[in-house]
């Protein structure tokens, strides 16, 4: 049995997981208990998977992601791409960071007792408030409701860290208190920022506070690293990737439905729907091609991987928004050119490919050919922007080709390995 983590082994009381089999007798007791001491879980704990509460938490974030995507579609379709992308990046940052911090905390301290569940529900309420404020943030530069929802989520997380500090000692307690203090101080900064008019100085203030938010975990863990579980973390990130890709599947479905409803545009919209599905299916395949938990071996690597997913998640969700823009342009509802509409799909797809290669799959690549697959596909996708009404189908074929080439190269490498 592995030695206790720096925060202590503590009680393990997560919700019952139906995926456990009868022979898993060594797994921890997962029956619900109303109240337990919040001490850290074993980072080597067997059978550590996402709980139903975590899945519920993720699904509630779909509302906020969908709202951000809808407003991005409207802004780009009306010819305000710059304003739309900026608003999308700001709002998605809040969504992503709140999700990220809860996920890493839960990986180390999930007790799933009454106080933990209530605090999680408060965070869910916060993301719903944030989602309600997305339209105002995009349309009127009014971030008051969105920031209120964000602060609700962060204050609830600060409570969780204070609870963890109560049951810790030494460097572990210092880390927990540092997290709580850092969160509270930065939230005060967000409230002060609300008092300023939105403009150049406001955006600089946002940037400073965003950097401060990202710095809190780095600063807090200088005393001692929290005992997150690599396999659990990789599963949680994979599940959220599926959620944001699901938004793009919904957009491809809208394209196909529009093709059926707009029979006169059937020849233009059906290829968009099929190309969009190819892009999304290939994105899924490429992301889940390797078991990333084996490479999360240090705090520095985990920070880079975890923070880099801002671009992975944001671009994956933006692909769906781009598909809707292409549909609106095809039926004459968007006030932009065909090339600009195509770029709404190809640009986020290229960002997704490059980011997945840089932070996620590069560690498992061997040789120049394997390393060149995703960057080469990104270039091909960008080039497809100028293929007129065939842009999305061509991008989809490029993605499918990347999957095929990657599988062939991986198969060859696997066959050579035993001989070596």
């Amino acid at each position: 049995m592995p030695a206790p983590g720096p925060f202590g082994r503590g009680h393990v009381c997560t919700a019952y997981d139906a995926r456990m089999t009868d022979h898993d007798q060594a797994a921890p007791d997962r029956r619900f208990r109303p109240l337990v001491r919040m001490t850290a879980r074993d980072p080597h704990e067997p059978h550590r998977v996402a709980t139903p509460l975590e899945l519920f938490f993720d699904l509630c974030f779909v509302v906020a992601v969908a709202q951000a995507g809808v407003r991005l579609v409207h802004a780009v379709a009306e010819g305000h791409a710059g304003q739309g992308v900026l608003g999308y990046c700001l709002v998605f940052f809040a969504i992503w960071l709140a999700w990220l911090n809860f996920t890493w905390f839960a990986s180390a301290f999930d007790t799933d007792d009454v106080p933990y569940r209530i605090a999680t529900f408060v965070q869910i309420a916060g993301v719903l408030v944030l989602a309600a404020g997305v339209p105002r943030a995009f349309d009127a530069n009014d971030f008051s409701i969105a920031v209120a929802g964000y602060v609700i989520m962060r204050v609830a997380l600060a409570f969780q860290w204070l609870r963890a500090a109560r049951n810790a000692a030494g460097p572990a307690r210092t880390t927990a208190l540092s997290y709580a203090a850092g969160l509270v101080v930065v939230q005060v900064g967000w409230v002060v920022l609300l008092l300023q008019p939105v403009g150049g100085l406001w955006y600089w203030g946002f940037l400073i506070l965003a950097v401060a938010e990202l710095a809190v975990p780095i600063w807090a863990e200088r005393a001692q690293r929290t005992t997150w579980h690599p396999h659990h973390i990789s599963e949680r990130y994979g599940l959220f990737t599926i959620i944001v890709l699901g938004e793009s599947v919904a957009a491809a479905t809208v394209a196909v439905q529009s093709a059926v409803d707009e029979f006169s545009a059937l020849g233009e919209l059906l290829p968009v729907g099929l190309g969009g599905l190819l892009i999304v299916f290939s994105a899924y395949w490429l992301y889940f091609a390797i078991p990333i938990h084996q490479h999360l071996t240090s705090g520095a690597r985990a920070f880079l991987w975890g923070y880099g997913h801002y671009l992975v998640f944001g671009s994956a969700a933006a692909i769906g928004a781009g598909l809707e823009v292409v549909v609106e342009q095809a039926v004459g509802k968007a006030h932009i050119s065909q090339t600009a509409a195509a770029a709404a799909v190809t640009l986020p797809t290229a960002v997704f490919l490059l980011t997945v290669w840089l932070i996620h799959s590069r560690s498992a690549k061997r040789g120049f050919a394997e390393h060149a697959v995703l960057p080469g596909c990104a270039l091909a996708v960008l080039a497809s922007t100028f293929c007129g009404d065939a842009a999305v189908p061509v991008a989809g074929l490029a993605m499918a080709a990347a999957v095929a080439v990657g599988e062939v190269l991986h198969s060859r490498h696997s066959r050579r390995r035993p001989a070596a």
Side-chain angles (χ1 to χ4, degrees), residues 120 131 174 197 212 218 243 264 300 306 351:
T120 303
T174 300
I218 300 172
I243 286 177
S264 60
V351 171

Side-chain angles (χ1 to χ4, degrees), residues 138-267:
F138 271 82
D139 300 338
N141 281 333
D142 180 0
F143 289 87
S144 56
I145 296 178
V147 170
Y150 181 76
V151 171
I152 290 172
M153 290 187 285
R154 307 299 276 167
V155 170
L157 183 61
F159 164 80
Q160 297 273 49
W161 277 112
L162 288 173
R163 189 179 173 209
R166 181 182 179 186
N167 296 290
R173 178 179 172 83
T174 300
T175 294
L177 289 175
S178 296
Y179 265 109
L183 287 170
V184 171
V185 169
V186 178
Q187 300 327 295
V188 172
W190 288 117
V191 173
V192 171
L193 185 63
L194 277 182
L195 303 177
Q196 310 302 317
V198 176
L201 291 178
W202 189 93
Y203 288 113
W204 279 109
F206 184 99
L207 179 61
I208 292 171
L209 289 172
V211 171
E213 289 277 18
L214 296 176
V216 166
I218 300 172
W219 171 70
E221 301 213 5
R222 72 196 189 286
Q224 197 166 72
R225 197 188 84 176
T226 52
T227 56
W228 45 269
H229 194 292
H231 191 281
H232 174 254
I233 283 293
S234 64
E235 181 187 21
R236 296 286 287 113
Y237 271 72
L239 291 172
F240 202 74
T241 300
I242 291 173
I243 286 177
V244 292
L245 286 175
E247 289 293 308
S248 296
V249 171
T253 304
V254 169
V256 175
Q257 180 182 350
S258 299
V260 175
D261 295 340
E262 299 277 350
F263 188 77
S264 60
L266 182 63

Side-chain angles (χ1 to χ4, degrees), residues 285-304:
W285 195 308
L286 293 169
Y287 183 89
F288 290 98
I290 64 167
I292 192 62
H293 68 275
Q294 298 174 358
H295 302 282
L296 300 180
T297 55
S298 67
R301 178 172 293 183
F303 271 121
L304 178 63

Side-chain angles (χ1 to χ4, degrees), residues 4-381:
F7 283 80
R9 183 173 292 125
H11 298 285
V12 178
C13 306
T14 58
Y16 172 75
D17 192 308
R19 283 171 285 184
M20 294 181 66
T21 56
D22 293 337
H23 68 273
D24 291 331
Q25 299 298 322
D29 179 10
R30 295 176 179 268
R31 291 171 296 179
F32 174 76
R33 299 176 189 173
L35 183 64
V36 297
R37 294 178 69 247
M38 179 176 276
T39 49
R41 299 178 66 149
D42 183 355
H44 305 287
E45 175 188 333
H47 320 292
R48 182 74 166 97
V49 294
T51 66
L53 181 60
E54 289 173 325
L55 299 179
F56 181 55
F57 183 84
D58 289 357
L59 287 175
C60 291
F61 271 73
V62 173
V63 179
V65 172
Q67 284 289 330
V70 167
R71 309 316 293 187
L72 177 61
V73 170
H74 290 168
V76 174
E78 291 298 321
H80 306 299
Q83 179 182 348
V85 171
L86 178 60
Y88 176 80
C89 290
L90 297 182
V91 170
F92 200 91
F93 177 85
I95 297 170
W96 160 78
L97 190 62
W99 177 89
L100 176 145
N101 285 164
F102 168 79
T103 296
W104 289 83
F105 176 88
S107 187
F109 296 102
D110 180 9
T111 55
D112 197 28
D113 58 356
V114 170
Y116 182 88
R117 287 189 179 184
I118 291 175
T120 303
F121 291 154
V122 171
Q123 292 180 77
I124 291 174
V127 75
L128 296 179
V129 174
L130 170 62
V134 168
R136 288 192 179 191
F138 271 82
D139 300 338
N141 281 333
D142 180 0
F143 289 87
S144 56
I145 296 178
V147 170
Y150 181 76
V151 171
I152 290 172
M153 290 187 285
R154 307 299 276 167
V155 170
L157 183 61
F159 164 80
Q160 297 273 49
W161 277 112
L162 288 173
R163 189 179 173 209
R166 181 182 179 186
N167 296 290
R173 178 179 172 83
T174 300
T175 294
L177 289 175
S178 296
Y179 265 109
L183 287 170
V184 171
V185 169
V186 178
Q187 300 327 295
V188 172
W190 288 117
V191 173
V192 171
L193 185 63
L194 277 182
L195 303 177
Q196 310 302 317
V198 176
L201 291 178
W202 189 93
Y203 288 113
W204 279 109
F206 184 99
L207 179 61
I208 292 171
L209 289 172
V211 171
E213 289 277 18
L214 296 176
V216 166
I218 300 172
W219 171 70
E221 301 213 5
R222 72 196 189 286
Q224 197 166 72
R225 197 188 84 176
T226 52
T227 56
W228 45 269
H229 194 292
H231 191 281
H232 174 254
I233 283 293
S234 64
E235 181 187 21
R236 296 286 287 113
Y237 271 72
L239 291 172
F240 202 74
T241 300
I242 291 173
I243 286 177
V244 292
L245 286 175
E247 289 293 308
S248 296
V249 171
T253 304
V254 169
V256 175
Q257 180 182 350
S258 299
V260 175
D261 295 340
E262 299 277 350
F263 188 77
S264 60
L266 182 63
E268 297 179 19
L269 294 182
L270 193 56
V272 171
L274 296 177
L277 287 177
L278 267 181
I279 291 173
V280 175
F281 292 164
S282 299
Y284 168 88
W285 195 308
L286 293 169
Y287 183 89
F288 290 98
I290 64 167
I292 192 62
H293 68 275
Q294 298 174 358
H295 302 282
L296 300 180
T297 55
S298 67
R301 178 172 293 183
F303 271 121
L304 178 63
W305 179 82
Y307 283 168
H309 269 72
Y310 169 67
L311 294 176
V312 174
F313 294 155
S315 60
I319 291 171
L323 290 172
E324 292 192 44
V325 170
V326 171
V327 171
E328 293 198 7
Q329 196 279 333
V331 298
K333 296 181 180 178
H335 303 95
I336 55 175
S337 67
Q338 192 175 64
T339 301
V345 175
T346 58
L347 285 177
T349 302
V351 171
F352 177 87
L353 289 167
L354 289 174
T355 310
V356 167
W357 173 69
L358 280 171
I359 69 167
H360 187 73
S361 62
R362 189 160 56 98
S363 57
K365 302 295 184 182
R366 298 293 182 270
F368 175 79
E370 288 191 19
H371 276 287
V373 171
L374 294 186
C377 180
L379 290 175
V381 168

